[in-house]
Amino acid sequence: LLTYYKGALVLAQLANLMGEDMYKTLAHYVAINLFQFTDVSRLKDAFKTITGDDHSWYFDKWLYEAGYPIYTIKYDIRQDKGKNYVDLFISQANSTYGSLNKLVIFDMPLDIAFYGENRNEIKRIKERVNEQTFEKSYEFAEDVSGLVVDPGVKIYMKRLRSAQKGDITLDM
């Protein structure tokens, strides 16, 4: 089923990431390719012209590879010398690894929202997850009670394994 919808989902997901630049790129693409067949290489050229990046990092994985990413999120909230820290660990697998025996790492910016005690959003950051594991420690002035990865649901094709709060050690 994913095969039939993947092209549309890939473009919609990219539009969520790019905002207005996506629509400028598509307008440019249609203007110079009117009455021609759709071609990804020409679409990449349009991206390069409008944004300066042909987005190969995105298309090469999301369009040409099978499946979607599975993110496992673990985090630990700690205090040290009066400061608050969140240690975040994200590992990535893909949905087809078992059947194809090939690990595909999807390159994707992820929004991460950190929340305080009253469920108020303290800070939202964007991190580019383009390796099998991502780990980072964040410092906060106020108490953090939890976090949400992709709170705006901008990545349609993904599976998140629930964020687990616990003891983790980051290799930094």
Side-chain angles (χ1 to χ4, degrees), residues 5-37:
Y5 298 108
K6 191 168 184 179
L9 287 171
V10 163
L11 287 177
Q13 184 170 274
L14 189 58
N16 272 333
L17 294 171
M18 294 183 61
E20 282 299 310
D21 281 344
M22 176 70 170
Y23 302 105
K24 290 176 188 174
T25 301
L26 290 178
H28 174 74
Y29 174 80
V30 169
I32 62 173
N33 293 291
L34 200 57
F35 304 115
Q36 296 183 36
F37 291 105

Short mmCIF file of all heavy atoms in Angstrom, two decimals, residues 5-37:
data_model
loop_
_atom_site.label_atom_id
_atom_site.label_comp_id
_atom_site.label_asym_id
_atom_site.label_seq_id
_atom_site.Cartn_x
_atom_site.Cartn_y
_atom_site.Cartn_z
N TYR A 5 1.21 5.27 -2.55
CA TYR A 5 1.10 6.62 -2.01
C TYR A 5 2.45 7.29 -1.75
O TYR A 5 2.49 8.46 -1.39
CB TYR A 5 0.32 6.58 -0.69
CG TYR A 5 -1.09 6.09 -0.86
CD1 TYR A 5 -1.47 4.83 -0.39
CD2 TYR A 5 -2.04 6.86 -1.50
CE1 TYR A 5 -2.75 4.38 -0.55
CE2 TYR A 5 -3.33 6.41 -1.67
CZ TYR A 5 -3.70 5.16 -1.20
OH TYR A 5 -4.97 4.71 -1.36
N LYS A 6 3.52 6.58 -1.92
CA LYS A 6 4.82 7.08 -1.50
C LYS A 6 5.22 8.38 -2.20
O LYS A 6 5.70 9.30 -1.55
CB LYS A 6 5.90 6.02 -1.68
CG LYS A 6 7.21 6.42 -1.01
CD LYS A 6 8.19 5.29 -0.94
CE LYS A 6 9.42 5.70 -0.17
NZ LYS A 6 10.39 4.62 -0.06
N GLY A 7 5.02 8.48 -3.51
CA GLY A 7 5.40 9.70 -4.23
C GLY A 7 4.71 10.93 -3.68
O GLY A 7 5.33 11.97 -3.43
N ALA A 8 3.41 10.82 -3.45
CA ALA A 8 2.64 11.96 -2.91
C ALA A 8 3.08 12.27 -1.49
O ALA A 8 3.22 13.45 -1.12
CB ALA A 8 1.16 11.65 -2.96
N LEU A 9 3.31 11.24 -0.69
CA LEU A 9 3.75 11.46 0.69
C LEU A 9 5.13 12.10 0.75
O LEU A 9 5.39 12.97 1.58
CB LEU A 9 3.76 10.14 1.46
CG LEU A 9 2.39 9.58 1.83
CD1 LEU A 9 2.54 8.18 2.40
CD2 LEU A 9 1.68 10.47 2.82
N VAL A 10 6.01 11.68 -0.15
CA VAL A 10 7.36 12.25 -0.19
C VAL A 10 7.28 13.76 -0.48
O VAL A 10 7.94 14.57 0.18
CB VAL A 10 8.24 11.53 -1.24
CG1 VAL A 10 9.47 12.33 -1.59
CG2 VAL A 10 8.64 10.15 -0.74
N LEU A 11 6.46 14.15 -1.44
CA LEU A 11 6.34 15.58 -1.78
C LEU A 11 5.64 16.35 -0.67
O LEU A 11 6.06 17.46 -0.32
CB LEU A 11 5.62 15.76 -3.10
CG LEU A 11 6.43 15.38 -4.33
CD1 LEU A 11 5.59 15.53 -5.60
CD2 LEU A 11 7.69 16.23 -4.45
N ALA A 12 4.59 15.79 -0.08
CA ALA A 12 3.89 16.47 1.00
C ALA A 12 4.79 16.65 2.22
O ALA A 12 4.80 17.70 2.86
CB ALA A 12 2.63 15.70 1.38
N GLN A 13 5.57 15.62 2.51
CA GLN A 13 6.50 15.67 3.64
C GLN A 13 7.57 16.73 3.37
O GLN A 13 7.93 17.51 4.26
CB GLN A 13 7.14 14.29 3.78
CG GLN A 13 8.05 14.11 4.94
CD GLN A 13 8.41 12.64 5.10
OE1 GLN A 13 7.69 11.91 5.73
NE2 GLN A 13 9.52 12.23 4.51
N LEU A 14 8.07 16.79 2.16
CA LEU A 14 9.08 17.79 1.80
C LEU A 14 8.49 19.20 1.88
O LEU A 14 9.16 20.14 2.33
CB LEU A 14 9.63 17.51 0.39
CG LEU A 14 10.82 18.34 -0.05
CD1 LEU A 14 12.00 18.17 0.91
CD2 LEU A 14 11.24 17.94 -1.46
N ALA A 15 7.22 19.36 1.50
CA ALA A 15 6.56 20.66 1.60
C ALA A 15 6.48 21.11 3.06
O ALA A 15 6.66 22.29 3.37
CB ALA A 15 5.17 20.60 0.98
N ASN A 16 6.21 20.17 3.96
CA ASN A 16 6.18 20.51 5.39
C ASN A 16 7.54 21.00 5.88
O ASN A 16 7.62 21.87 6.72
CB ASN A 16 5.77 19.29 6.22
CG ASN A 16 4.28 19.18 6.38
OD1 ASN A 16 3.58 20.17 6.34
ND2 ASN A 16 3.80 17.97 6.55
N LEU A 17 8.59 20.42 5.36
CA LEU A 17 9.94 20.80 5.78
C LEU A 17 10.38 22.14 5.18
O LEU A 17 11.05 22.92 5.82
CB LEU A 17 10.94 19.72 5.38
CG LEU A 17 10.79 18.38 6.07
CD1 LEU A 17 11.69 17.35 5.42
CD2 LEU A 17 11.11 18.53 7.54
N MET A 18 10.02 22.35 3.93
CA MET A 18 10.54 23.51 3.19
C MET A 18 9.68 24.76 3.27
O MET A 18 10.17 25.86 3.05
CB MET A 18 10.73 23.15 1.73
CG MET A 18 11.79 22.12 1.49
SD MET A 18 12.00 21.82 -0.26
CE MET A 18 12.48 23.43 -0.86
N GLY A 19 8.40 24.60 3.48
CA GLY A 19 7.50 25.75 3.51
C GLY A 19 7.35 26.38 2.13
O GLY A 19 7.21 25.69 1.13
N GLU A 20 7.43 27.69 2.09
CA GLU A 20 7.20 28.44 0.84
C GLU A 20 8.17 28.09 -0.29
O GLU A 20 7.82 28.15 -1.46
CB GLU A 20 7.27 29.95 1.10
CG GLU A 20 6.01 30.51 1.74
CD GLU A 20 4.78 30.31 0.87
OE1 GLU A 20 4.81 30.65 -0.33
OE2 GLU A 20 3.78 29.80 1.40
N ASP A 21 9.40 27.72 0.06
CA ASP A 21 10.38 27.37 -0.98
C ASP A 21 9.91 26.19 -1.82
O ASP A 21 10.23 26.09 -3.00
CB ASP A 21 11.74 27.05 -0.36
CG ASP A 21 12.52 28.29 0.01
OD1 ASP A 21 12.16 29.39 -0.47
OD2 ASP A 21 13.50 28.15 0.76
N MET A 22 9.13 25.30 -1.23
CA MET A 22 8.61 24.16 -1.98
C MET A 22 7.69 24.64 -3.09
O MET A 22 7.77 24.19 -4.23
CB MET A 22 7.87 23.21 -1.03
CG MET A 22 7.23 22.05 -1.72
SD MET A 22 8.48 20.91 -2.34
CE MET A 22 7.46 19.55 -2.81
N TYR A 23 6.81 25.56 -2.76
CA TYR A 23 5.84 26.04 -3.75
C TYR A 23 6.51 26.90 -4.81
O TYR A 23 6.13 26.85 -5.98
CB TYR A 23 4.70 26.77 -3.04
CG TYR A 23 4.04 25.83 -2.05
CD1 TYR A 23 4.26 25.96 -0.69
CD2 TYR A 23 3.26 24.77 -2.50
CE1 TYR A 23 3.69 25.07 0.20
CE2 TYR A 23 2.68 23.87 -1.62
CZ TYR A 23 2.91 24.02 -0.27
OH TYR A 23 2.36 23.13 0.61
N LYS A 24 7.52 27.65 -4.43
CA LYS A 24 8.30 28.41 -5.43
C LYS A 24 9.00 27.46 -6.39
O LYS A 24 9.04 27.69 -7.59
CB LYS A 24 9.33 29.30 -4.73
CG LYS A 24 8.75 30.45 -3.97
CD LYS A 24 9.85 31.22 -3.23
CE LYS A 24 9.28 32.25 -2.31
NZ LYS A 24 10.32 32.90 -1.51
N THR A 25 9.55 26.38 -5.83
CA THR A 25 10.25 25.38 -6.65
C THR A 25 9.28 24.70 -7.60
O THR A 25 9.58 24.54 -8.80
CB THR A 25 10.95 24.34 -5.77
OG1 THR A 25 11.89 25.01 -4.93
CG2 THR A 25 11.66 23.29 -6.60
N LEU A 26 8.12 24.29 -7.11
CA LEU A 26 7.15 23.62 -7.97
C LEU A 26 6.63 24.55 -9.06
O LEU A 26 6.43 24.13 -10.20
CB LEU A 26 5.99 23.06 -7.14
CG LEU A 26 6.34 21.88 -6.24
CD1 LEU A 26 5.12 21.44 -5.44
CD2 LEU A 26 6.90 20.72 -7.05
N ALA A 27 6.41 25.82 -8.72
CA ALA A 27 5.97 26.79 -9.73
C ALA A 27 7.04 26.94 -10.82
O ALA A 27 6.73 26.98 -12.02
CB ALA A 27 5.67 28.14 -9.08
N HIS A 28 8.29 27.02 -10.41
CA HIS A 28 9.40 27.12 -11.36
C HIS A 28 9.48 25.86 -12.22
O HIS A 28 9.63 25.93 -13.44
CB HIS A 28 10.72 27.34 -10.61
CG HIS A 28 11.93 27.31 -11.46
ND1 HIS A 28 12.25 28.36 -12.31
CD2 HIS A 28 12.90 26.37 -11.62
CE1 HIS A 28 13.37 28.05 -12.95
NE2 HIS A 28 13.78 26.85 -12.54
N TYR A 29 9.35 24.71 -11.59
CA TYR A 29 9.40 23.42 -12.30
C TYR A 29 8.31 23.32 -13.36
O TYR A 29 8.57 22.96 -14.51
CB TYR A 29 9.28 22.27 -11.31
CG TYR A 29 9.19 20.92 -11.96
CD1 TYR A 29 10.33 20.28 -12.41
CD2 TYR A 29 7.97 20.29 -12.15
CE1 TYR A 29 10.26 19.04 -13.03
CE2 TYR A 29 7.89 19.05 -12.76
CZ TYR A 29 9.03 18.43 -13.20
OH TYR A 29 8.95 17.21 -13.81
N VAL A 30 7.08 23.67 -12.98
CA VAL A 30 5.96 23.61 -13.93
C VAL A 30 6.17 24.60 -15.06
O VAL A 30 5.92 24.28 -16.24
CB VAL A 30 4.62 23.86 -13.20
CG1 VAL A 30 3.48 24.06 -14.19
CG2 VAL A 30 4.31 22.70 -12.26
N ALA A 31 6.65 25.80 -14.75
CA ALA A 31 6.84 26.82 -15.79
C ALA A 31 7.84 26.39 -16.85
O ALA A 31 7.63 26.64 -18.04
CB ALA A 31 7.28 28.13 -15.13
N ILE A 32 8.92 25.71 -16.45
CA ILE A 32 9.94 25.35 -17.45
C ILE A 32 9.72 23.96 -18.04
O ILE A 32 10.38 23.61 -19.02
CB ILE A 32 11.37 25.46 -16.87
CG1 ILE A 32 11.58 24.49 -15.70
CG2 ILE A 32 11.67 26.89 -16.45
CD1 ILE A 32 13.02 24.44 -15.22
N ASN A 33 8.79 23.18 -17.47
CA ASN A 33 8.55 21.82 -17.97
C ASN A 33 7.10 21.61 -18.40
O ASN A 33 6.62 20.47 -18.40
CB ASN A 33 8.91 20.80 -16.88
CG ASN A 33 10.39 20.79 -16.59
OD1 ASN A 33 11.18 20.37 -17.40
ND2 ASN A 33 10.76 21.28 -15.42
N LEU A 34 6.42 22.67 -18.75
CA LEU A 34 5.02 22.58 -19.14
C LEU A 34 4.82 21.59 -20.28
O LEU A 34 5.58 21.60 -21.25
CB LEU A 34 4.52 23.97 -19.54
CG LEU A 34 3.02 24.20 -19.53
CD1 LEU A 34 2.43 23.90 -18.15
CD2 LEU A 34 2.71 25.64 -19.92
N PHE A 35 3.83 20.72 -20.15
CA PHE A 35 3.47 19.71 -21.15
C PHE A 35 4.54 18.65 -21.36
O PHE A 35 4.60 18.03 -22.40
CB PHE A 35 3.09 20.36 -22.49
CG PHE A 35 1.99 21.37 -22.35
CD1 PHE A 35 2.24 22.71 -22.61
CD2 PHE A 35 0.72 20.99 -21.94
CE1 PHE A 35 1.22 23.65 -22.49
CE2 PHE A 35 -0.30 21.92 -21.81
CZ PHE A 35 -0.05 23.26 -22.08
N GLN A 36 5.39 18.44 -20.37
CA GLN A 36 6.39 17.37 -20.43
C GLN A 36 6.09 16.35 -19.34
O GLN A 36 5.37 16.62 -18.39
CB GLN A 36 7.80 17.94 -20.24
CG GLN A 36 8.23 18.90 -21.35
CD GLN A 36 9.66 19.36 -21.13
OE1 GLN A 36 10.50 18.61 -20.66
NE2 GLN A 36 9.92 20.62 -21.47
N PHE A 37 6.65 15.17 -19.49
CA PHE A 37 6.50 14.15 -18.46
C PHE A 37 7.27 14.56 -17.21
O PHE A 37 8.29 15.24 -17.28
CB PHE A 37 7.03 12.79 -18.95
CG PHE A 37 6.18 12.19 -20.02
CD1 PHE A 37 6.60 12.20 -21.34
CD2 PHE A 37 4.95 11.63 -19.71
CE1 PHE A 37 5.83 11.64 -22.34
CE2 PHE A 37 4.16 11.06 -20.69
CZ PHE A 37 4.60 11.07 -22.02
#
